[in-house]
Amino acid sequence: MNAAPVVVGVGARRGVPAAEVLTLIADSLASVSLTPDAVTALATVDTKAAEPGLAEAARQLGVPLLTYPAAVLAAVSVPHPSHAPLAAAGTPSVAEAAALTAAGGGPGPAELVVGKRKSLPGARATCAVARARATPHRTEERP
């Protein structure tokens, strides 16, 4: 049983197969005792919206593929920025920034459950897992 729904941010090189993406996602979720049924969406940079491997991975998981402009993702503070996605996509993070953005990150409350992980061998995909932080229930103070 999963504690809370999560969003998986995914970065990918052109031509990445869905199987590689799905294996990376399953391994990342398993590392924190989550299963694929906890995933509510995949998220990535908008230039990867038509990438067949990402679209197929989302379809197999039964979730939408959410996309964000590089400028939106570049504004998100992440623990593992990199020059590779900055050069390729115009943002220092795709997987972590997309996960945080889709889970309510950026200016909203979200937390990384799994930081950026790379697929092996060849590392054609990266992913990160995020979920919305629980908002503490406020009770009214009585005089």
Side-chain angles (χ1 to χ4, degrees), residues 25-121:
I25 290 170
D27 290 348
S28 298
L29 292 169
S31 74
V32 290
S33 301
L34 292 173
T35 59
D37 67 334
V39 178
T40 60
L42 297 187
T44 194
V45 65
D46 60 4
T47 57
K48 296 295 181 178
E51 185 61 44
L54 296 184
E56 178 61 17
R59 188 193 68 74
Q60 287 189 33
L61 289 168
V63 299
L65 177 62
L66 307 176
T67 63
Y68 300 94
V72 169
L73 299 182
V76 178
S77 178
V78 297
H80 305 104
S82 172
H83 292 292
L86 182 59
T91 174
S93 173
V94 172
E96 289 178 335
L100 287 167
T101 300
E111 64 182 335
L112 281 177
V113 178
V114 178
K116 181 173 73 175
R117 294 176 60 142
K118 295 179 181 181
S119 60
L120 297 174

